[in-house]
Amino acid sequence: MPASTPHPAVRRTTVFHPRLRALLDDHLGKDLIRLEPDTIGIAGAELSDKILAGRKATETERPTFKPLHGRSISKAEASAGIRTIGKDVRTALEQPDPLPKTTDLSGPWPITGHMFLRDLVLRDDPYRLKILMSRTLELTPKLTWITIVAGAALPGRPTPGPQLTHTGNLFAEAEGYQDRRWAMGIYRRLAAPVCFTVSTLVANALWLGAPFDDGVPTRNIIWEAMRLLPPSWNMLRDASPEYPAIDPRIGAADDVLMLPLLTHRDPALWDHPHEFRPERWDALDPDDTPGYMPFGHASERCWGRHMVMPLAELLLSHIRETDLMVAPGQREAYVPFEGLLGVDAVHIGPKTKVRRRRNGLERPPRIAGDATAGSR
C-alpha cells in the first residue's frame, strides 16, 4: 500500500465497556486508587510488585482453582490437573500436522478459534464433556451447574483408555455420581480456560494490529496484544494485614485489586503506551519487564502460560500464512466487562482489498492500541 495510506488498524475503534473506559480515562498513571469504600485499586508497577509478593494467593483468590462444588482444590491437586491438560495440549501439538494449511479459520472470532481448539485439544472426548467448552455456559454459573449435573447423571460412561484425552479419562475413571460430577467440573476448569484464553488472545491481536509486517515475529505480536488487552486485567487479593504495612493508604479492611489494564499502559513504564508496537519486544524480556504481568506476578505465574503461548502462536501463524484478514468493513469491536479481557467479535476472512506490507518497506503511521483518536 502507498506510504500515505493509513494502516487498516488505525481506522478501527475499540469500544470499552463504560466501567473499563472510566478506569482508563480517570486513573491512568496513578499508583493507587480508591475504587469502592472497601476496595483499593493498584496500578503502579512498584506497588503492585510489593502487594503481590507480600503473600501467596489463597484458594478463593486463584481464578481457576477456587473451591469446586464446595470442596477445596489443594495446590497439589491443581498442579496435577495442570499437568493433565498439559499432556493433552502437548499431544495435540505433537501431531504430524496439527493445523493443516487447508484448515479454514475464517469466521467470527474468538468463537471460530475456540471451536477449533476444542476439537484439536479434546479430540474425540464424548459430547457430554465437550459441551462443557460451550461459551454459552459463561452466561451464568447456574447453566454450567445444570449441564454438569445432567452429564454426571446420564446412564453409561466412556471406557477409560487412549481413545480419550488424559483429561477425559478423569471422568471415565470416576466412580459414582458425586465423583463423576466432580470430574466434569474439573474438566471444565482445566480445558475451558485454555480454549477461551487462546482464542480471545488471537482475536485481540488481529483486531489491534493486523495485517502485520512479514518480519515481525508472531510471539512479539502476542506479547504486545497482551499488553494492551491483558487476559487477566485485574487480580484480587482479599484484605490482609500485610497490605497496610506496605502502604498506609490501604486500610485493614480493604480488599486490593491489581489492575494490569492500567499498569500495562502506564506512561511512566512504556514508550507510546497506547500504540500497538510489537517491535518493542525485540529489546524486552516479557518475564523481566517491570509492570508487565499478563500471566500474573513473577512470584506466582499462571501455570497455563506454557500451553497458551504455543497454541496462540500456532493459530496466529496459520492466519498470517493463509492471508486471512480483519473484514475491511468492521470499524468497531466491543470489549465487555468480563474477567477475560477481549473483543467480543472480530470478523476474519480472505484478504481481498488490503495488500500485505512486505519486509517493512512501507511503514504506516503508528497504530493506536485502543484507537485513541476515536475511542469512546
Side-chain angles (χ1 to χ4, degrees), residues 154-237:
L154 284 173
R157 65 179 182 185
T159 302
Q163 76 280 4
L164 301 178
T165 63
H166 294 88
T167 313
N169 272 302
L170 296 178
F171 174 78
E173 294 166 0
E175 296 290 343
Y177 169 74
Q178 295 295 338
D179 285 348
R180 289 197 299 272
R181 194 181 72 176
W182 171 263
M184 290 187 73
I186 289 293
Y187 189 97
R188 176 169 171 81
R189 288 280 187 92
L190 294 174
V194 174
C195 297
F196 288 152
T197 302
V198 172
S199 57
T200 297
L201 176 52
V202 174
N204 290 347
L206 292 167
W207 177 252
L208 292 169
F212 310 104
D213 283 330
D214 286 349
V216 176
T218 296
R219 177 160 289 204
N220 283 19
I221 293 168
I222 295 169
W223 291 127
E224 183 68 350
M226 288 194 292
R227 186 184 68 81
L228 289 167
L229 291 174
S232 296
W233 65 271
N234 71 85
M235 291 175 278
L236 177 66
R237 293 293 183 267

Side-chain angles (χ1 to χ4, degrees), residues 81-99:
I82 289 294
R83 289 196 298 272
T84 300
I85 187 64
K87 291 177 185 177
D88 293 327
V89 170
R90 285 195 300 275
T91 298
L93 291 172
E94 289 169 0
Q95 294 180 56
D97 192 5
L99 185 45

Side-chain angles (χ1 to χ4, degrees), residues 143-352:
L143 189 56
T144 303
W145 173 251
I146 291 171
T147 303
I148 288 174
V149 167
L154 284 173
R157 65 179 182 185
T159 302
Q163 76 280 4
L164 301 178
T165 63
H166 294 88
T167 313
N169 272 302
L170 296 178
F171 174 78
E173 294 166 0
E175 296 290 343
Y177 169 74
Q178 295 295 338
D179 285 348
R180 289 197 299 272
R181 194 181 72 176
W182 171 263
M184 290 187 73
I186 289 293
Y187 189 97
R188 176 169 171 81
R189 288 280 187 92
L190 294 174
V194 174
C195 297
F196 288 152
T197 302
V198 172
S199 57
T200 297
L201 176 52
V202 174
N204 290 347
L206 292 167
W207 177 252
L208 292 169
F212 310 104
D213 283 330
D214 286 349
V216 176
T218 296
R219 177 160 289 204
N220 283 19
I221 293 168
I222 295 169
W223 291 127
E224 183 68 350
M226 288 194 292
R227 186 184 68 81
L228 289 167
L229 291 174
S232 296
W233 65 271
N234 71 85
M235 291 175 278
L236 177 66
R237 293 293 183 267
D238 295 327
S240 187
E242 292 89 352
Y243 303 146
I246 292 172
D247 192 304
R249 292 173 293 178
I250 303 173
D254 284 333
D255 294 334
V256 181
L257 193 68
M258 259 57 61
L259 295 168
L261 175 67
L262 300 183
T263 313
H264 284 192
R265 294 170 182 252
D266 188 340
L269 299 175
W270 308 94
D271 293 331
H272 306 281
H274 297 290
E275 297 178 3
F276 185 83
R277 295 190 174 202
E279 66 271 21
R280 75 174 80 235
W281 296 101
D282 289 340
L284 294 176
D285 179 353
D287 288 327
D288 192 30
T289 296
Y292 186 67
M293 42 190 170
F295 294 118
H297 185 254
S299 64
E300 271 187 307
R301 294 275 191 232
C302 171
W303 294 338
R305 69 189 186 279
H306 298 303
M307 293 178 275
V308 168
M309 287 302 295
L311 287 171
E313 288 183 76
L314 177 73
L315 267 62
L316 186 54
S317 295
H318 179 84
I319 289 170
R320 298 177 73 183
E321 291 165 3
T322 54
D323 283 340
L324 297 180
M325 61 168 288
V326 177
Q330 183 176 0
R331 297 297 178 86
E332 289 189 354
Y334 181 64
V335 178
F337 189 73
E338 296 177 354
L340 177 60
L341 193 69
V343 288
D344 65 349
V346 179
H347 299 281
I348 305 299
K351 184 173 296 188
T352 56

Side-chain angles (χ1 to χ4, degrees), residues 99-116:
L99 185 45
K101 183 98 180 218
T102 55
T103 303
D104 183 8
L105 292 181
S106 61
W109 276 72
I111 187 61
T112 297
H114 177 82
M115 299 304 288
F116 172 81

